[in-house]
Amino acid sequence: MGALAALACSKMNLSPIRYPGGKGKLAAKIAGIIDASTVRNGVYIEPFAGGAGAALSLLFSGKVQTIVINDVDKAVASFWKSILNETERFVQKIHATAVTIDEWRNQKAVYQNQVDRCSFELGFAFFFLNRTNRSGILTGGPIGGFEQKGDWKLDCRFNKDRLIEQIVEIAKRKKQIRVYNQDIFDFIERYLPRYQDNGFIYFDPPYFNKAGRLYKNSFNEEQHRKLHDAIVCLNAPWIVSYDNVPNICRIYSDVASEPLSINYCAAKKGTGSEIMFYCPELARLYLKTRKQSPS
Ligand SMILES: C[S@@+](CC[C@H](N)C(=O)[O-])C[C@H]1O[C@@H](n2cnc3c(N)ncnc32)[C@H](O)[C@@H]1O
């Protein structure tokens, strides 16, 4: 087992992307849910993938054979496509790029002037800004401010050797990773059916509250409801996580659930209260048995 594969078994995040509300820390829990399901050596699908921290952990640890990651954000999808399909170019670009405020402005301009298609340049700009912006939030400012007078400097989250190692290890598993850049409803209708046999789906949609501040794409209440209606019709085992708020609990009132506490650090450190919803099969195979014998 390589060094990073060993790390996958620990709580370390394998994703080169910092993500507000990133779910790398949930990998061990999701592995337990997969064990309780009928899926073996299966396909793990994250239709709202973002930093894909949990997906990578499950792949590196051998819990699943293949991961399918989808995100509607062109910048996010560009990053994943570029590191898999143009690995060497991406690595060289990291080596060659100075982590300075001037470069931050260049990459910000690439990001802001993006056209409606995926590209290597957009993927790199997303990566650069994600690693150099406060809390990884793309609309936020640079770590340390434009004057760079604070204790934390722009490059404090840009350990080139470490990031290159992560990217190379991910790219080695390229044949086991599929990337899509689809709106969720197109993804569910057109692509998900390909993977439903022996597939396990984890939906991590934009939060109900404050998602607009964290991600480029957020949902209104009607879209959250529409998503619920699409999810409950699926045939493969699925779980969904959300911020634990009354509106979401109302929308998912017909589905088994369990509160979830995760430490995360979007904008400021704190403990966010989240909730996990389970399809009927997993409610029976995982949730009920756990409630009888708490671990
Ligand atoms: C809560 S984040 C997912 C975080 C991810 N699970 C992780 O661990 O990093 C939600 C993601 O959904 C994406 N998203 C928002 N609206 C979407 C849509 N309509 N279709 C697909 N993805 C969407 C956002 O771009 C964002 O990356």
Side-chain angles (χ1 to χ4, degrees):
M1 190 187 279
L4 280 171
L7 285 175
C9 302
S10 72
K11 294 216 161 110
M12 179 99 196
N13 195 352
L14 296 164
S15 176
I17 296 301
R18 305 159 66 211
Y19 228 81
K23 296 303 190 302
K25 287 180 191 148
L26 269 187
K29 183 178 177 71
I30 297 173
I33 305 173
I34 294 174
D35 281 342
S37 78
T38 54
V39 174
R40 290 293 171 267
N41 298 319
V43 184
Y44 173 85
I45 306 149
E46 257 203 65
F48 297 97
L56 292 172
S57 281
L58 293 165
L59 182 67
F60 276 58
S61 64
K63 182 58 64 186
V64 294
Q65 281 299 313
T66 305
I67 59 172
V68 177
I69 55 181
N70 174 68
D71 203 292
V72 76
D73 189 330
K74 291 244 167 326
V76 176
S78 292
F79 168 75
W80 291 115
K81 288 182 182 195
S82 301
I83 66 160
L84 294 177
N85 299 331
E86 295 184 85
T87 314
E88 190 48 36
R89 185 177 170 202
F90 207 96
V91 166
Q92 290 311 325
K93 182 85 178 160
I94 294 176
H95 276 305
T97 305
V99 185
T100 61
I101 288 293
D102 280 351
E103 188 58 40
W104 186 92
R105 289 188 208 279
N106 288 339
Q107 297 299 336
K108 182 86 180 175
V110 173
Y111 180 74
Q112 283 178 327
N113 296 328
Q114 62 179 282
V115 290
D116 191 29
R117 68 177 173 82
C118 290
S119 70
F120 178 91
E121 289 72 20
L122 179 57
F124 188 82
F126 169 76
F127 167 74
F128 185 94
L129 295 172
N130 175 270
R131 299 301 318 181
T132 56
N133 272 11
R134 285 193 209 102
S135 301
I137 296 175
L138 277 251
T139 49
I143 299 171
F146 289 101
E147 302 296 321
Q148 290 291 288
K149 285 193 175 142
D151 290 343
W152 298 100
K153 305 291 186 218
L154 192 66
D155 63 355
C156 69
R157 298 262 183 261
F158 213 106
N159 180 335
K160 289 188 176 184
D161 291 341
R162 166 85 187 143
L163 290 166
I164 288 170
E165 189 192 6
Q166 283 176 302
I167 287 166
V168 167
E169 286 296 324
I170 294 166
K172 279 184 193 164
R173 292 156 176 86
K174 174 181 166 171
K175 289 192 175 135
Q176 296 168 277
I177 306 174
R178 309 267 181 284
V179 181
Y180 290 92
N181 172 224
Q182 298 290 324
D183 176 69
I184 187 64
F185 298 107
D186 290 333
F187 179 77
I188 290 176
E189 195 182 318
R190 293 168 53 198
Y191 299 98
L192 197 54
R194 293 182 190 178
Y195 303 106
Q196 278 192 356
D197 288 347
N198 210 22
F200 179 98
I201 316 162
Y202 170 36
F203 293 93
D204 184 22
Y207 297 134
F208 187 87
N209 284 336
K210 298 186 187 151
R213 199 176 54 82
L214 298 176
Y215 320 109
K216 198 166 153 230
N217 301 281
S218 56
F219 276 10
N220 60 30
E221 184 153 358
E222 187 47 41
Q223 289 167 306
H224 284 297
R225 197 176 297 282
K226 189 177 162 196
L227 177 64
H228 159 277
D229 294 349
I231 290 175
V232 295
C233 292
L234 294 174
N235 286 323
W238 52 262
I239 52 176
V240 187
S241 65
Y242 261 112
D243 41 348
N244 193 351
V245 296
N247 302 55
I248 289 299
C249 293
R250 259 196 303 280
I251 293 174
Y252 282 80
S253 59
D254 56 343
V255 172
S257 65
E258 173 193 45
L260 203 60
S261 239
I262 306 173
N263 291 323
Y264 57 92
C265 52
K268 71 174 189 202
K269 286 203 188 308
T271 301
S273 169
E274 304 210 359
I275 187 161
M276 185 81 91
F277 297 99
Y278 295 82
C279 69
E281 181 194 345
L282 292 174
R284 182 170 50 81
L285 295 174
Y286 173 78
L287 206 49
K288 278 203 183 126
T289 49
R290 259 188 75 257
K291 279 184 177 163
Q292 278 156 13
S293 56
S295 53

PDB file of all heavy atoms in Angstrom, residues 194-222:
ATOM      1  N   ARG A 194     -26.560   4.404 -15.996  1.00  0.00           N
ATOM      2  CA  ARG A 194     -25.413   3.587 -16.416  1.00  0.00           C
ATOM      3  C   ARG A 194     -24.720   2.897 -15.252  1.00  0.00           C
ATOM      4  O   ARG A 194     -24.020   1.915 -15.415  1.00  0.00           O
ATOM      5  CB  ARG A 194     -24.327   4.468 -17.065  1.00  0.00           C
ATOM      6  CG  ARG A 194     -24.735   5.075 -18.345  1.00  0.00           C
ATOM      7  CD  ARG A 194     -23.569   5.878 -18.894  1.00  0.00           C
ATOM      8  NE  ARG A 194     -24.020   6.669 -20.025  1.00  0.00           N
ATOM      9  CZ  ARG A 194     -23.271   7.496 -20.709  1.00  0.00           C
ATOM     10  NH1 ARG A 194     -22.004   7.653 -20.377  1.00  0.00           N
ATOM     11  NH2 ARG A 194     -23.766   8.166 -21.712  1.00  0.00           N
ATOM     12  N   TYR A 195     -24.844   3.497 -14.070  1.00  0.00           N
ATOM     13  CA  TYR A 195     -24.046   3.021 -12.930  1.00  0.00           C
ATOM     14  C   TYR A 195     -24.892   2.419 -11.813  1.00  0.00           C
ATOM     15  O   TYR A 195     -24.367   2.094 -10.756  1.00  0.00           O
ATOM     16  CB  TYR A 195     -23.218   4.189 -12.364  1.00  0.00           C
ATOM     17  CG  TYR A 195     -22.331   4.830 -13.395  1.00  0.00           C
ATOM     18  CD1 TYR A 195     -22.643   6.077 -13.940  1.00  0.00           C
ATOM     19  CD2 TYR A 195     -21.178   4.188 -13.838  1.00  0.00           C
ATOM     20  CE1 TYR A 195     -21.835   6.660 -14.897  1.00  0.00           C
ATOM     21  CE2 TYR A 195     -20.356   4.770 -14.797  1.00  0.00           C
ATOM     22  CZ  TYR A 195     -20.706   6.013 -15.319  1.00  0.00           C
ATOM     23  OH  TYR A 195     -19.892   6.579 -16.269  1.00  0.00           O
ATOM     24  N   GLN A 196     -26.185   2.302 -12.052  1.00  0.00           N
ATOM     25  CA  GLN A 196     -27.044   1.912 -10.927  1.00  0.00           C
ATOM     26  C   GLN A 196     -26.834   0.477 -10.449  1.00  0.00           C
ATOM     27  O   GLN A 196     -26.984   0.201  -9.268  1.00  0.00           O
ATOM     28  CB  GLN A 196     -28.513   2.141 -11.276  1.00  0.00           C
ATOM     29  CG  GLN A 196     -28.887   3.606 -11.063  1.00  0.00           C
ATOM     30  CD  GLN A 196     -30.367   3.834 -11.115  1.00  0.00           C
ATOM     31  OE1 GLN A 196     -31.141   2.936 -11.382  1.00  0.00           O
ATOM     32  NE2 GLN A 196     -30.781   5.049 -10.864  1.00  0.00           N
ATOM     33  N   ASP A 197     -26.469  -0.436 -11.368  1.00  0.00           N
ATOM     34  CA  ASP A 197     -26.191  -1.816 -10.921  1.00  0.00           C
ATOM     35  C   ASP A 197     -24.922  -1.784 -10.083  1.00  0.00           C
ATOM     36  O   ASP A 197     -23.879  -1.344 -10.552  1.00  0.00           O
ATOM     37  CB  ASP A 197     -25.951  -2.738 -12.125  1.00  0.00           C
ATOM     38  CG  ASP A 197     -27.240  -2.998 -12.856  1.00  0.00           C
ATOM     39  OD1 ASP A 197     -28.305  -2.685 -12.288  1.00  0.00           O
ATOM     40  OD2 ASP A 197     -27.178  -3.483 -14.000  1.00  0.00           O
ATOM     41  N   ASN A 198     -25.008  -2.260  -8.873  1.00  0.00           N
ATOM     42  CA  ASN A 198     -23.861  -2.253  -7.963  1.00  0.00           C
ATOM     43  C   ASN A 198     -23.334  -0.841  -7.698  1.00  0.00           C
ATOM     44  O   ASN A 198     -22.151  -0.635  -7.434  1.00  0.00           O
ATOM     45  CB  ASN A 198     -22.730  -3.150  -8.495  1.00  0.00           C
ATOM     46  CG  ASN A 198     -21.911  -3.749  -7.365  1.00  0.00           C
ATOM     47  OD1 ASN A 198     -22.376  -3.853  -6.232  1.00  0.00           O
ATOM     48  ND2 ASN A 198     -20.678  -4.105  -7.660  1.00  0.00           N
ATOM     49  N   GLY A 199     -24.223   0.139  -7.789  1.00  0.00           N
ATOM     50  CA  GLY A 199     -23.837   1.530  -7.523  1.00  0.00           C
ATOM     51  C   GLY A 199     -24.362   1.990  -6.166  1.00  0.00           C
ATOM     52  O   GLY A 199     -25.375   1.484  -5.664  1.00  0.00           O
ATOM     53  N   PHE A 200     -23.637   2.926  -5.580  1.00  0.00           N
ATOM     54  CA  PHE A 200     -24.033   3.521  -4.300  1.00  0.00           C
ATOM     55  C   PHE A 200     -23.944   5.034  -4.493  1.00  0.00           C
ATOM     56  O   PHE A 200     -22.911   5.551  -4.929  1.00  0.00           O
ATOM     57  CB  PHE A 200     -23.057   3.064  -3.207  1.00  0.00           C
ATOM     58  CG  PHE A 200     -23.365   3.630  -1.844  1.00  0.00           C
ATOM     59  CD1 PHE A 200     -24.080   2.889  -0.910  1.00  0.00           C
ATOM     60  CD2 PHE A 200     -22.940   4.911  -1.497  1.00  0.00           C
ATOM     61  CE1 PHE A 200     -24.372   3.414   0.347  1.00  0.00           C
ATOM     62  CE2 PHE A 200     -23.229   5.447  -0.249  1.00  0.00           C
ATOM     63  CZ  PHE A 200     -23.936   4.696   0.675  1.00  0.00           C
ATOM     64  N   ILE A 201     -25.002   5.741  -4.155  1.00  0.00           N
ATOM     65  CA  ILE A 201     -25.040   7.181  -4.482  1.00  0.00           C
ATOM     66  C   ILE A 201     -25.068   8.026  -3.209  1.00  0.00           C
ATOM     67  O   ILE A 201     -25.897   7.812  -2.316  1.00  0.00           O
ATOM     68  CB  ILE A 201     -26.295   7.536  -5.311  1.00  0.00           C
ATOM     69  CG1 ILE A 201     -26.522   6.486  -6.406  1.00  0.00           C
ATOM     70  CG2 ILE A 201     -26.147   8.918  -5.924  1.00  0.00           C
ATOM     71  CD1 ILE A 201     -27.936   6.513  -6.958  1.00  0.00           C
ATOM     72  N   TYR A 202     -24.159   8.987  -3.160  1.00  0.00           N
ATOM     73  CA  TYR A 202     -24.177   9.945  -2.045  1.00  0.00           C
ATOM     74  C   TYR A 202     -24.464  11.336  -2.604  1.00  0.00           C
ATOM     75  O   TYR A 202     -23.644  11.894  -3.334  1.00  0.00           O
ATOM     76  CB  TYR A 202     -22.834   9.926  -1.301  1.00  0.00           C
ATOM     77  CG  TYR A 202     -22.688  11.058  -0.298  1.00  0.00           C
ATOM     78  CD1 TYR A 202     -23.777  11.513   0.449  1.00  0.00           C
ATOM     79  CD2 TYR A 202     -21.457  11.687  -0.096  1.00  0.00           C
ATOM     80  CE1 TYR A 202     -23.654  12.554   1.350  1.00  0.00           C
ATOM     81  CE2 TYR A 202     -21.322  12.731   0.815  1.00  0.00           C
ATOM     82  CZ  TYR A 202     -22.426  13.160   1.526  1.00  0.00           C
ATOM     83  OH  TYR A 202     -22.305  14.198   2.408  1.00  0.00           O
ATOM     84  N   PHE A 203     -25.596  11.892  -2.246  1.00  0.00           N
ATOM     85  CA  PHE A 203     -25.960  13.253  -2.662  1.00  0.00           C
ATOM     86  C   PHE A 203     -25.564  14.231  -1.558  1.00  0.00           C
ATOM     87  O   PHE A 203     -26.010  14.085  -0.413  1.00  0.00           O
ATOM     88  CB  PHE A 203     -27.478  13.364  -2.869  1.00  0.00           C
ATOM     89  CG  PHE A 203     -28.008  12.570  -4.029  1.00  0.00           C
ATOM     90  CD1 PHE A 203     -28.484  11.279  -3.845  1.00  0.00           C
ATOM     91  CD2 PHE A 203     -28.042  13.121  -5.306  1.00  0.00           C
ATOM     92  CE1 PHE A 203     -28.987  10.546  -4.911  1.00  0.00           C
ATOM     93  CE2 PHE A 203     -28.548  12.391  -6.382  1.00  0.00           C
ATOM     94  CZ  PHE A 203     -29.013  11.096  -6.180  1.00  0.00           C
ATOM     95  N   ASP A 204     -24.767  15.200  -1.921  1.00  0.00           N
ATOM     96  CA  ASP A 204     -24.410  16.264  -0.972  1.00  0.00           C
ATOM     97  C   ASP A 204     -24.751  17.605  -1.628  1.00  0.00           C
ATOM     98  O   ASP A 204     -23.870  18.343  -2.058  1.00  0.00           O
ATOM     99  CB  ASP A 204     -22.906  16.166  -0.655  1.00  0.00           C
ATOM    100  CG  ASP A 204     -22.478  17.173   0.404  1.00  0.00           C
ATOM    101  OD1 ASP A 204     -23.343  17.630   1.174  1.00  0.00           O
ATOM    102  OD2 ASP A 204     -21.269  17.506   0.450  1.00  0.00           O
ATOM    103  N   PRO A 205     -26.041  17.928  -1.702  1.00  0.00           N
ATOM    104  CA  PRO A 205     -26.466  19.135  -2.435  1.00  0.00           C
ATOM    105  C   PRO A 205     -26.013  20.404  -1.720  1.00  0.00           C
ATOM    106  O   PRO A 205     -25.626  20.357  -0.548  1.00  0.00           O
ATOM    107  CB  PRO A 205     -27.997  19.043  -2.419  1.00  0.00           C
ATOM    108  CG  PRO A 205     -28.350  17.750  -1.776  1.00  0.00           C
ATOM    109  CD  PRO A 205     -27.165  17.254  -1.028  1.00  0.00           C
ATOM    110  N   PRO A 206     -26.110  21.547  -2.414  1.00  0.00           N
ATOM    111  CA  PRO A 206     -25.833  22.812  -1.732  1.00  0.00           C
ATOM    112  C   PRO A 206     -26.735  22.917  -0.509  1.00  0.00           C
ATOM    113  O   PRO A 206     -27.887  22.464  -0.540  1.00  0.00           O
ATOM    114  CB  PRO A 206     -26.230  23.868  -2.767  1.00  0.00           C
ATOM    115  CG  PRO A 206     -26.220  23.161  -4.079  1.00  0.00           C
ATOM    116  CD  PRO A 206     -26.533  21.730  -3.809  1.00  0.00           C
ATOM    117  N   TYR A 207     -26.206  23.483   0.571  1.00  0.00           N
ATOM    118  CA  TYR A 207     -27.005  23.642   1.787  1.00  0.00           C
ATOM    119  C   TYR A 207     -28.258  24.457   1.498  1.00  0.00           C
ATOM    120  O   TYR A 207     -28.303  25.245   0.570  1.00  0.00           O
ATOM    121  CB  TYR A 207     -26.195  24.379   2.864  1.00  0.00           C
ATOM    122  CG  TYR A 207     -24.960  23.646   3.316  1.00  0.00           C
ATOM    123  CD1 TYR A 207     -23.754  24.312   3.435  1.00  0.00           C
ATOM    124  CD2 TYR A 207     -25.017  22.299   3.634  1.00  0.00           C
ATOM    125  CE1 TYR A 207     -22.603  23.651   3.857  1.00  0.00           C
ATOM    126  CE2 TYR A 207     -23.883  21.628   4.053  1.00  0.00           C
ATOM    127  CZ  TYR A 207     -22.677  22.307   4.164  1.00  0.00           C
ATOM    128  OH  TYR A 207     -21.557  21.647   4.570  1.00  0.00           O
ATOM    129  N   PHE A 208     -29.248  24.272   2.363  1.00  0.00           N
ATOM    130  CA  PHE A 208     -30.472  25.076   2.235  1.00  0.00           C
ATOM    131  C   PHE A 208     -30.158  26.531   2.617  1.00  0.00           C
ATOM    132  O   PHE A 208     -30.556  27.460   1.933  1.00  0.00           O
ATOM    133  CB  PHE A 208     -31.564  24.507   3.159  1.00  0.00           C
ATOM    134  CG  PHE A 208     -32.891  25.162   2.958  1.00  0.00           C
ATOM    135  CD1 PHE A 208     -33.765  24.691   1.983  1.00  0.00           C
ATOM    136  CD2 PHE A 208     -33.273  26.268   3.717  1.00  0.00           C
ATOM    137  CE1 PHE A 208     -34.995  25.315   1.770  1.00  0.00           C
ATOM    138  CE2 PHE A 208     -34.487  26.892   3.503  1.00  0.00           C
ATOM    139  CZ  PHE A 208     -35.352  26.405   2.528  1.00  0.00           C
ATOM    140  N   ASN A 209     -29.420  26.692   3.720  1.00  0.00           N
ATOM    141  CA  ASN A 209     -29.069  28.043   4.177  1.00  0.00           C
ATOM    142  C   ASN A 209     -27.666  28.440   3.714  1.00  0.00           C
ATOM    143  O   ASN A 209     -26.751  27.623   3.752  1.00  0.00           O
ATOM    144  CB  ASN A 209     -29.092  28.107   5.709  1.00  0.00           C
ATOM    145  CG  ASN A 209     -30.509  28.168   6.243  1.00  0.00           C
ATOM    146  OD1 ASN A 209     -31.425  28.595   5.543  1.00  0.00           O
ATOM    147  ND2 ASN A 209     -30.699  27.709   7.473  1.00  0.00           N
ATOM    148  N   LYS A 210     -27.515  29.659   3.297  1.00  0.00           N
ATOM    149  CA  LYS A 210     -26.207  30.270   3.026  1.00  0.00           C
ATOM    150  C   LYS A 210     -25.402  29.615   1.914  1.00  0.00           C
ATOM    151  O   LYS A 210     -24.209  29.892   1.777  1.00  0.00           O
ATOM    152  CB  LYS A 210     -25.345  30.280   4.298  1.00  0.00           C
ATOM    153  CG  LYS A 210     -25.942  31.090   5.426  1.00  0.00           C
ATOM    154  CD  LYS A 210     -24.990  31.169   6.587  1.00  0.00           C
ATOM    155  CE  LYS A 210     -25.651  31.836   7.768  1.00  0.00           C
ATOM    156  NZ  LYS A 210     -25.160  31.400   9.037  1.00  0.00           N
ATOM    157  N   ALA A 211     -25.990  28.721   1.116  1.00  0.00           N
ATOM    158  CA  ALA A 211     -25.201  28.065   0.065  1.00  0.00           C
ATOM    159  C   ALA A 211     -24.706  29.083  -0.959  1.00  0.00           C
ATOM    160  O   ALA A 211     -23.611  28.939  -1.504  1.00  0.00           O
ATOM    161  CB  ALA A 211     -26.033  26.984  -0.627  1.00  0.00           C
ATOM    162  N   GLY A 212     -25.500  30.124  -1.197  1.00  0.00           N
ATOM    163  CA  GLY A 212     -25.126  31.118  -2.195  1.00  0.00           C
ATOM    164  C   GLY A 212     -23.807  31.807  -1.875  1.00  0.00           C
ATOM    165  O   GLY A 212     -23.102  32.271  -2.762  1.00  0.00           O
ATOM    166  N   ARG A 213     -23.457  31.846  -0.589  1.00  0.00           N
ATOM    167  CA  ARG A 213     -22.211  32.491  -0.184  1.00  0.00           C
ATOM    168  C   ARG A 213     -21.016  31.548  -0.406  1.00  0.00           C
ATOM    169  O   ARG A 213     -19.893  31.973  -0.585  1.00  0.00           O
ATOM    170  CB  ARG A 213     -22.320  32.860   1.300  1.00  0.00           C
ATOM    171  CG  ARG A 213     -21.353  33.900   1.776  1.00  0.00           C
ATOM    172  CD  ARG A 213     -21.645  34.244   3.223  1.00  0.00           C
ATOM    173  NE  ARG A 213     -21.655  33.069   4.083  1.00  0.00           N
ATOM    174  CZ  ARG A 213     -20.562  32.504   4.597  1.00  0.00           C
ATOM    175  NH1 ARG A 213     -19.381  32.988   4.326  1.00  0.00           N
ATOM    176  NH2 ARG A 213     -20.661  31.446   5.377  1.00  0.00           N
ATOM    177  N   LEU A 214     -21.289  30.224  -0.357  1.00  0.00           N
ATOM    178  CA  LEU A 214     -20.210  29.237  -0.406  1.00  0.00           C
ATOM    179  C   LEU A 214     -19.914  28.720  -1.810  1.00  0.00           C
ATOM    180  O   LEU A 214     -18.760  28.464  -2.149  1.00  0.00           O
ATOM    181  CB  LEU A 214     -20.548  28.038   0.493  1.00  0.00           C
ATOM    182  CG  LEU A 214     -20.709  28.326   1.987  1.00  0.00           C
ATOM    183  CD1 LEU A 214     -21.140  27.062   2.710  1.00  0.00           C
ATOM    184  CD2 LEU A 214     -19.400  28.832   2.576  1.00  0.00           C
ATOM    185  N   TYR A 215     -20.944  28.514  -2.612  1.00  0.00           N
ATOM    186  CA  TYR A 215     -20.760  27.899  -3.931  1.00  0.00           C
ATOM    187  C   TYR A 215     -21.331  28.798  -5.011  1.00  0.00           C
ATOM    188  O   TYR A 215     -22.210  29.602  -4.753  1.00  0.00           O
ATOM    189  CB  TYR A 215     -21.468  26.534  -4.015  1.00  0.00           C
ATOM    190  CG  TYR A 215     -21.331  25.708  -2.772  1.00  0.00           C
ATOM    191  CD1 TYR A 215     -22.413  25.485  -1.927  1.00  0.00           C
ATOM    192  CD2 TYR A 215     -20.093  25.177  -2.415  1.00  0.00           C
ATOM    193  CE1 TYR A 215     -22.280  24.737  -0.780  1.00  0.00           C
ATOM    194  CE2 TYR A 215     -19.953  24.440  -1.267  1.00  0.00           C
ATOM    195  CZ  TYR A 215     -21.051  24.220  -0.449  1.00  0.00           C
ATOM    196  OH  TYR A 215     -20.912  23.488   0.694  1.00  0.00           O
ATOM    197  N   LYS A 216     -20.841  28.563  -6.230  1.00  0.00           N
ATOM    198  CA  LYS A 216     -21.325  29.363  -7.340  1.00  0.00           C
ATOM    199  C   LYS A 216     -22.793  29.041  -7.637  1.00  0.00           C
ATOM    200  O   LYS A 216     -23.554  29.909  -8.041  1.00  0.00           O
ATOM    201  CB  LYS A 216     -20.459  29.044  -8.558  1.00  0.00           C
ATOM    202  CG  LYS A 216     -20.538  30.051  -9.626  1.00  0.00           C
ATOM    203  CD  LYS A 216     -19.434  29.855 -10.625  1.00  0.00           C
ATOM    204  CE  LYS A 216     -19.882  30.394 -11.952  1.00  0.00           C
ATOM    205  NZ  LYS A 216     -19.673  29.450 -13.032  1.00  0.00           N
ATOM    206  N   ASN A 217     -23.171  27.776  -7.430  1.00  0.00           N
ATOM    207  CA  ASN A 217     -24.538  27.361  -7.751  1.00  0.00           C
ATOM    208  C   ASN A 217     -25.271  26.936  -6.485  1.00  0.00           C
ATOM    209  O   ASN A 217     -24.773  26.096  -5.742  1.00  0.00           O
ATOM    210  CB  ASN A 217     -24.515  26.173  -8.707  1.00  0.00           C
ATOM    211  CG  ASN A 217     -23.783  26.517  -9.989  1.00  0.00           C
ATOM    212  OD1 ASN A 217     -24.332  27.156 -10.870  1.00  0.00           O
ATOM    213  ND2 ASN A 217     -22.522  26.133 -10.067  1.00  0.00           N
ATOM    214  N   SER A 218     -26.436  27.520  -6.260  1.00  0.00           N
ATOM    215  CA  SER A 218     -27.227  27.090  -5.105  1.00  0.00           C
ATOM    216  C   SER A 218     -28.649  26.795  -5.573  1.00  0.00           C
ATOM    217  O   SER A 218     -28.990  27.042  -6.728  1.00  0.00           O
ATOM    218  CB  SER A 218     -27.199  28.161  -4.017  1.00  0.00           C
ATOM    219  OG  SER A 218     -27.638  29.382  -4.544  1.00  0.00           O
ATOM    220  N   PHE A 219     -29.486  26.264  -4.670  1.00  0.00           N
ATOM    221  CA  PHE A 219     -30.847  25.861  -5.016  1.00  0.00           C
ATOM    222  C   PHE A 219     -31.857  26.729  -4.278  1.00  0.00           C
ATOM    223  O   PHE A 219     -31.619  27.128  -3.131  1.00  0.00           O
ATOM    224  CB  PHE A 219     -31.093  24.420  -4.540  1.00  0.00           C
ATOM    225  CG  PHE A 219     -30.613  23.349  -5.478  1.00  0.00           C
ATOM    226  CD1 PHE A 219     -29.817  23.648  -6.573  1.00  0.00           C
ATOM    227  CD2 PHE A 219     -30.973  22.031  -5.265  1.00  0.00           C
ATOM    228  CE1 PHE A 219     -29.382  22.659  -7.431  1.00  0.00           C
ATOM    229  CE2 PHE A 219     -30.545  21.026  -6.116  1.00  0.00           C
ATOM    230  CZ  PHE A 219     -29.745  21.342  -7.196  1.00  0.00           C
ATOM    231  N   ASN A 220     -33.007  26.963  -4.912  1.00  0.00           N
ATOM    232  CA  ASN A 220     -34.119  27.527  -4.154  1.00  0.00           C
ATOM    233  C   ASN A 220     -34.964  26.363  -3.596  1.00  0.00           C
ATOM    234  O   ASN A 220     -34.697  25.198  -3.901  1.00  0.00           O
ATOM    235  CB  ASN A 220     -34.960  28.489  -5.011  1.00  0.00           C
ATOM    236  CG  ASN A 220     -35.559  27.788  -6.223  1.00  0.00           C
ATOM    237  OD1 ASN A 220     -35.843  26.590  -6.164  1.00  0.00           O
ATOM    238  ND2 ASN A 220     -35.750  28.526  -7.310  1.00  0.00           N
ATOM    239  N   GLU A 221     -35.974  26.707  -2.791  1.00  0.00           N
ATOM    240  CA  GLU A 221     -36.729  25.649  -2.108  1.00  0.00           C
ATOM    241  C   GLU A 221     -37.397  24.697  -3.097  1.00  0.00           C
ATOM    242  O   GLU A 221     -37.438  23.478  -2.901  1.00  0.00           O
ATOM    243  CB  GLU A 221     -37.772  26.273  -1.168  1.00  0.00           C
ATOM    244  CG  GLU A 221     -38.495  25.215  -0.376  1.00  0.00           C
ATOM    245  CD  GLU A 221     -39.022  25.711   0.955  1.00  0.00           C
ATOM    246  OE1 GLU A 221     -38.808  26.878   1.313  1.00  0.00           O
ATOM    247  OE2 GLU A 221     -39.664  24.891   1.651  1.00  0.00           O
ATOM    248  N   GLU A 222     -37.867  25.268  -4.199  1.00  0.00           N
ATOM    249  CA  GLU A 222     -38.533  24.444  -5.211  1.00  0.00           C
ATOM    250  C   GLU A 222     -37.561  23.409  -5.803  1.00  0.00           C
ATOM    251  O   GLU A 222     -37.922  22.243  -6.028  1.00  0.00           O
ATOM    252  CB  GLU A 222     -39.077  25.384  -6.314  1.00  0.00           C
ATOM    253  CG  GLU A 222     -39.944  24.718  -7.354  1.00  0.00           C
ATOM    254  CD  GLU A 222     -41.004  23.801  -6.751  1.00  0.00           C
ATOM    255  OE1 GLU A 222     -41.611  24.159  -5.732  1.00  0.00           O
ATOM    256  OE2 GLU A 222     -41.187  22.691  -7.305  1.00  0.00           O
TER     257      GLU A 222
END
